[in-house]
Amino acid sequence: MTSARLSTLATLRDRLERIGAQGDALRPRRVSLGHAEADAALQGGLAVGAVHEVFAEAGRQSAAATGFVAGLAGRIAPRRPLLWIRQDFCEREAGALSMSGLAELGLDPRCLVTVCTADVEATLRASADALACDALGAVVLEVWGETQKLDLVASRKLTLAAQASGVTALLLRIAATPNPSTAETRWIVRAAHSPPSASWAAWGTPLFDAELVRNRHGLSGRWIMEWKCDERLFTEPAADSQPLAATSAHRPHQARTKLRSAG
């Protein structure tokens, strides 16, 4: 009886180990963003090999969202090729991507390949082909305006392609309303006030008002996230980003006050 119980116990342990191994295999790898509260809500960071959506209004918010997506791509695949697929209307409305601007954000322009497509259908076809290539680090799909082509079926196809290859898809939607999708996360990004960090600086570090409105495996939230270009990570902004004036080394009025009180 004892040997039978031990055999049954060993069998159960073996099954539990197999279940645990399968669970680890199915659990997506995550990359920390650097922002403590956002990473906690994301249960450790942004899931790799998944689809993430970033929405923004037209105008200056589109520029902020583009910078935010560039930061996400920089965290996910800092030294791997990045394919950026843009609907041609995006380039007519917002202009071409600036390689010098991406370099200032900390990205290597030599790792970036841009593709301009005629419409949403061509964008989806190019994205499906790109996500099948596991040599890429990430694929950005940039689409402008409302469209019925990016429905739940199209989102599901992108998700399956990303899961199969392990390549992350970043869907950038400008001037559009969120629709039902299979995306892992959905963000709404706005520009945040970025005061200069020093008197000689032309502008301060990029600050984003990032609202996580959908998180399939965690909490949502809204944070002001500062992008550190040199470290290539998001952080909490400093409590006081303005530099403090240095204390004067020579204060003759205080010296005269001390002399009067001594006399």
Side-chain angles (χ1 to χ4, degrees):
M1 181 67 69
T2 304
S3 60
R5 288 180 177 177
L6 291 175
S7 176
T8 302
L9 182 60
T11 302
L12 291 174
R13 286 177 175 173
D14 182 62
R15 289 180 179 177
L16 289 174
E17 289 177 358
R18 291 181 181 179
I19 293 174
Q22 292 176 356
D24 292 336
L26 295 175
R27 188 177 298 113
R29 183 172 67 88
R30 297 183 181 274
V31 173
S32 170
L33 298 181
H35 190 284
E37 293 184 4
D39 284 335
L42 295 169
Q43 298 186 352
L46 206 69
V48 177
V51 177
H52 303 277
E53 298 176 335
V54 177
F55 283 79
E57 300 174 358
R60 67 170 184 169
Q61 308 303 352
S62 64
T66 301
F68 185 78
V69 167
L72 294 181
R75 291 299 298 163
I76 293 171
R79 287 175 293 275
R80 298 186 65 188
L82 168 64
L83 182 63
W84 199 303
I85 305 172
R86 309 184 78 203
Q87 184 185 358
D88 59 356
F89 190 78
C90 298
E91 191 146 329
R92 289 200 298 266
E93 284 290 321
L97 293 174
S98 171
M99 296 299 106
S100 59
L102 292 175
E104 288 186 7
L105 288 175
L107 274 69
D108 187 353
R110 296 171 298 179
C111 295
L112 175 64
V113 177
T114 59
V115 175
C116 189
T117 56
D119 49 34
V120 178
E121 292 91 334
T123 302
L124 290 174
R125 288 196 302 269
S127 301
D129 292 340
L131 289 173
C133 178
D134 57 7
L136 295 174
V139 176
V140 177
L141 303 73
E142 184 178 351
V143 178
W144 192 291
E146 304 288 355
T147 177
Q148 297 298 323
K149 302 297 182 180
L150 281 169
D151 55 7
L152 192 59
V153 175
S155 177
R156 181 63 176 169
K157 290 180 179 178
L158 293 175
T159 297
L160 291 175
Q163 290 175 347
S165 64
V167 179
T168 306
L170 302 172
L171 180 53
L172 175 57
R173 300 289 309 277
I174 308 298
T177 304
N179 297 321
S181 73
T182 59
E184 183 78 12
T185 65
R186 176 181 296 152
W187 303 78
I188 297 178
V189 177
R190 308 170 184 87
H193 178 59
S194 179
S197 57
S199 58
W200 47 264
W203 51 77
T205 55
L207 260 67
F208 304 98
D209 180 355
E211 184 177 5
L212 179 61
V213 297
R214 172 186 170 87
N215 183 8
R216 295 190 65 182
H217 298 95
L219 302 174
S220 58
R222 184 174 182 178
W223 308 277
I224 301 297
M225 302 174 67
E226 179 177 355
W227 174 251
K228 295 290 189 180
C229 301
D230 294 333
E231 296 85 351
R232 288 186 294 189
L233 54 80
F234 294 95
T235 62
E236 295 84 356
D240 186 1
S241 58
Q242 294 289 354
L244 298 177
T247 305
S248 175
H250 179 61
R251 291 170 290 181
H253 62 285
Q254 294 185 1
R256 287 194 295 268
T257 303
K258 291 180 180 180
L259 288 174
R260 292 194 189 100
S261 60

